[in-house]
Amino acid sequence: MRSDPATAQRGPAPRRLTPPRLAVLLCAGIAVLPAPATAQSQACAPRDIVIARLAEKYGETRHSIGLGNNNAVMELFASDETGSWTITVTTTNSITCLVASGLAFETLAESPAAEETDA
């Protein structure tokens, strides 16, 4: 008997993206930054095309930015309305590659933990 893909059960619900998990994702994305020769096998395109597509199709705007190895720029785009998010890495030749994406994005305003002092 064949199962209908439209009614098949999906996997478990996505897990909440906590700050430690986000940090791991960001570090992993930068650590596996593709060399220019392997960038062609990933979802890569000129930066202006990628940014326009994220905005038009997913309503995502840039929420954060960082500098990685070899002056590669890591950016996190997200939609406050839908919760979708995408991490991109742009190389010095302005080619942007999609590193990760997901759902349930939340902006957090956390303060550093107070330092304990000996009294």
Side-chain angles (χ1 to χ4, degrees):
M1 183 192 302
R2 295 179 128 177
S3 64
D4 182 7
T7 59
Q9 277 191 333
R10 295 181 186 231
R15 293 170 40 189
R16 184 167 184 254
L17 188 61
T18 61
R21 288 184 64 213
L22 178 59
V24 169
L25 284 174
L26 294 178
C27 290
I30 292 172
V32 296
L33 181 64
T38 62
Q40 295 173 354
S41 65
Q42 294 186 349
C44 302
R47 185 179 185 281
D48 56 341
I49 293 172
V50 173
I51 304 312
R53 189 75 180 278
L54 291 174
E56 292 167 6
K57 188 167 183 177
Y58 301 100
E60 295 180 2
T61 58
R62 186 169 61 182
H63 280 248
S64 60
I65 188 169
L67 192 58
N69 294 338
N70 299 321
N71 293 323
V73 176
M74 181 282 308
E75 296 170 286
L76 171 69
F77 294 84
S79 169
D80 292 326
E81 292 180 19
T82 66
S84 69
W85 58 268
T86 305
I87 297 174
T88 65
V89 173
T90 303
T91 59
T92 56
N93 62 357
S94 296
I95 297 298
T96 299
C97 298
L98 303 179
V99 175
S101 62
L103 301 172
F105 177 81
E106 294 180 35
T107 300
L108 302 175
E110 293 185 349
S111 300
E115 290 185 29
E116 292 184 25
T117 58
D118 291 335

